[in-house]
Amino acid sequence: MNKFCEYIRKYTEGKKVCILGFGREGKSTYKILEKYCLPETVAIADLNLVDKEANGLPENIELICGKEYQDCLDRFDMVFKSPGIVLEKSISELKCLITCETQVFFEVYRDQIIGITGTKGKSTVTSLIYHVLNESGVDCRIAGNIGIPVFDIAEGMSDDTVVVCELSCHQLEYMTVSPRSAIFLNLYEEHLDHYGTLENYYNAKKNIYLHQDVCDVLWCNSSIVSDDIPSIVVSVSNTDSSADVYVENGVVWDSDDEDYEIPTDEIKLLGTHNHYNIAIAWDVCKDLVEEEDFTKALCSFNPLAHRLEFVDTVCGIRWYDDSISTACATAISALQSVPNVGTILIGGMDRGIDYQPLVDFLSNFDVSVICMEASGKRVYEMIQASGSFGNKERIHYADHLAEAVKFAAEITPEGMSCVMSPAAASYGIFKNFEERGDTFKKLVSELKN
């Protein structure tokens, strides 16, 4: 039994425990509680029905399901909340301890963790750092918002294991411990349907560094460096040449005089925004691996699905899936990164973000635009109402993705590219951005028939 197993046993011993949300993380929590812990009772609370038999749950496990599933929380000593669950009451109104897998895992292993957050790019940076370390022979694990609950890797940890952990705003929102090595990539308007304001969203993200010690390190985009950071700050930028780490024209300039030239002709990561991601990965990894090993791993790294992913050439058009895009900045980056882009598909769930920066960019970027769904309708109407937008004839509207793909096949010139970079969430239309991207790929493949 390693130190995590001993810790979680003492943490829950004799306690009345509730698992709030029985998805991937909730099931991971139950597995550890069942295997190592001696709580007084364990209950599972979920909006949806939980099948005891299908999930192998014993009879003594209490199930609390339905729309009033959160009314029970104060009956328990501690509640393990899954990231996807939004509390109906504030923590100050609850008598129980609200905790989560990430909180407990970090209490044990924070000195061994490289934590990554940001509005965009965190999955790519997390996967890249892990790939570099793993390919270079470092004992490491990957977990977190990338799709692997931290409890799933806890049993195999040693004192030398490095954990590369992607952290969402929902995972960070109630955290009281920060990783020794933290990365804050960027900040854009996102999740405003939950947080209401950019400030509230930012405050949730800040927990990646607010509880660091003075000797810990935060790699932070230079535009969001603030006075409340308690640790050592390494500022990073691809626009601010005064940053500690600055990347331009494929060269990473480092204040430690350890500059690195990105092998731009050999890597598979598309776009200059990924040079920024590589710059951070380089600075984080340079004291852990040799430069030769970093370059070798970088060149063998395959981009994640739905992130400027090349799909196929169909009807003489190169199609790119950037379904991960939920902000103006990512759609703009897609247009700047995809070669010979002729058409972009934008739009999805309308979360109320400010689309003016995207409209301004499109006004001066010669590309056909197909707007779709609720947010696309708003962008379309903003453009039509603009007195300064150039050549509105290239702006179109399609109700849904299927119609947009068919129309794109008609208007995109042969030899050019079409990218779906929605700058909007997928919820209410698709299960998630992955389903949206898979649907896009399927629609493209059907154009062959």
Side-chain angles (χ1 to χ4, degrees):
M1 184 182 294
N2 66 8
K3 63 182 180 181
F4 165 79
C5 300
E6 293 176 357
Y7 185 87
I8 189 69
R9 183 186 179 97
K10 292 179 181 177
Y11 188 80
T12 59
E13 189 168 4
K15 300 292 196 305
K16 296 176 182 177
V17 178
C18 177
I19 299 172
L20 185 60
F22 202 59
R24 180 183 295 165
E25 184 162 315
K27 292 174 182 177
S28 172
T29 302
Y30 176 75
K31 176 184 173 183
I32 291 295
L33 292 177
E34 179 189 39
K35 189 171 183 179
Y36 295 105
C37 303
L38 295 170
E40 180 180 329
T41 59
V42 175
I44 295 167
D46 198 297
L47 177 62
N48 302 308
L49 291 176
V50 176
D51 188 322
K52 274 190 178 181
E53 184 177 352
N55 288 284
L57 301 173
E59 283 301 316
N60 65 333
I61 298 294
E62 180 185 5
L63 298 182
I64 305 157
C65 302
K67 62 181 182 179
E68 297 177 349
Y69 74 113
Q70 292 195 31
D71 292 353
C72 66
L73 300 186
D74 279 337
R75 288 170 38 200
F76 302 93
D77 298 313
M78 64 174 58
V79 174
F80 280 86
K81 187 186 85 67
S82 295
I85 302 294
V86 177
L87 291 176
E88 295 172 357
K89 294 181 179 179
S90 67
I91 282 189
S92 61
E93 296 179 78
L94 296 169
K95 297 177 182 177
C96 58
L97 170 67
I98 298 293
T99 188
C100 63
E101 284 200 8
T102 309
Q103 173 74 29
V104 177
F105 185 84
F106 275 43
E107 286 175 3
V108 180
Y109 291 120
R110 52 112 28 213
D111 287 346
Q112 299 170 232
I113 296 171
I114 301 170
I116 300 98
T117 198
T119 307
K120 296 300 169 188
K122 53 187 179 291
S123 293
T124 294
V125 173
T126 300
S127 300
L128 177 58
I129 291 175
Y130 170 74
H131 180 75
V132 168
L133 296 180
N134 188 54
E135 290 293 301
S136 302
V138 177
D139 176 16
C140 57
R141 305 286 186 274
I142 186 171
N145 194 58
I146 198 78
I148 304 170
V150 290
F151 278 14
D152 282 6
I153 67 165
E155 294 174 276
M157 290 281 293
S158 73
D159 290 342
D160 298 321
T161 305
V162 177
V163 179
V164 189
C165 189
E166 179 184 338
L167 297 163
S168 70
C169 55
H170 300 304
Q171 287 170 311
L172 288 166
E173 188 169 6
Y174 302 114
M175 289 285 286
T176 60
V177 59
S178 300
R180 182 177 182 181
S181 301
I183 300 169
F184 198 155
L185 292 168
N186 45 51
L187 185 75
Y188 303 112
E189 283 188 327
E190 184 66 289
H191 298 293
L192 298 189
D193 54 326
H194 172 55
Y195 290 101
T197 66
L198 180 62
E199 182 181 9
N200 290 339
Y201 171 56
Y202 186 18
N203 287 337
K205 289 282 193 185
K206 282 183 177 182
N207 282 320
I208 196 166
Y209 67 73
L210 282 181
H211 312 288
Q212 284 190 306
D213 295 331
V214 292
C215 293
D216 295 339
V217 181
L218 171 69
W219 284 266
C220 186
N221 189 289
S222 63
S223 67
I224 50 177
V225 172
S226 59
D227 295 334
D228 60 353
I229 299 173
S231 52
I232 299 168
V233 178
V234 178
S235 60
V236 188
S237 181
N238 57 357
T239 58
D240 176 12
S241 60
S242 67
D244 298 318
V245 178
Y246 173 63
V247 59
E248 182 184 35
N249 297 326
V251 178
V252 182
W253 306 97
D254 194 312
S255 60
D256 294 334
D257 294 325
E258 295 185 53
D259 302 336
Y260 177 74
E261 186 169 350
I262 299 171
T264 53
D265 293 336
E266 301 174 54
I267 60 175
K268 302 171 188 175
L269 283 170
L270 187 65
T272 55
H273 66 286
N274 273 319
H275 293 177
Y276 171 80
N277 295 333
I278 292 167
I280 289 181
W282 159 250
D283 207 68
V284 171
C285 294
K286 68 182 183 182
D287 292 331
L288 300 173
V289 304
E290 298 294 329
E291 180 176 333
E292 181 180 351
D293 292 332
F294 180 89
T295 299
K296 183 178 179 181
L298 174 61
C299 291
S300 66
F301 179 73
N302 291 311
L304 302 179
H306 314 302
R307 295 158 174 86
L308 282 183
E309 177 189 8
F310 172 64
V311 176
D312 199 356
T313 299
V314 181
C315 302
I317 302 164
R318 291 174 61 84
W319 299 83
Y320 288 85
D321 168 16
D322 194 36
S323 185
I324 189 68
S325 165
T326 58
C328 294
T330 49
I332 292 170
S333 290
L335 288 169
Q336 294 172 325
S337 303
V338 172
N340 299 315
V341 60
T343 307
I344 183 170
L345 278 55
I346 61 173
M349 176 186 178
D350 192 348
R351 280 179 157 174
I353 68 174
D354 179 11
Y355 279 109
Q356 194 60 51
L358 179 57
V359 170
D360 292 342
F361 181 85
L362 292 172
S363 178
N364 299 303
F365 194 92
D366 187 18
V367 63
S368 294
V369 181
I370 302 177
C371 304
M372 54 189 177
E373 302 291 351
S375 66
K377 185 70 171 177
R378 182 153 65 90
V379 171
Y380 179 82
E381 291 173 349
M382 288 174 65
I383 291 173
Q384 296 306 317
S386 172
S388 58
F389 194 95
N391 187 12
K392 295 180 183 178
E393 292 183 359
R394 58 191 175 89
I395 312 302
H396 313 275
Y397 181 78
D399 286 332
H400 306 297
L401 180 59
E403 182 184 343
V405 169
K406 288 181 181 178
F407 190 50
E410 296 174 7
I411 68 171
T412 307
E414 187 172 340
M416 298 195 75
S417 303
C418 174
V419 57
M420 178 188 66
S421 188
S426 59
Y427 304 121
I429 307 164
F430 299 97
K431 180 180 178 181
N432 47 40
F433 76 86
E434 291 94 343
E435 184 181 67
R436 177 169 63 185
D438 290 340
T439 300
F440 174 73
K441 293 175 184 177
K442 182 174 183 292
L443 290 167
V444 170
S445 69
E446 290 172 350
L447 292 172
K448 297 178 179 180
N449 301 326

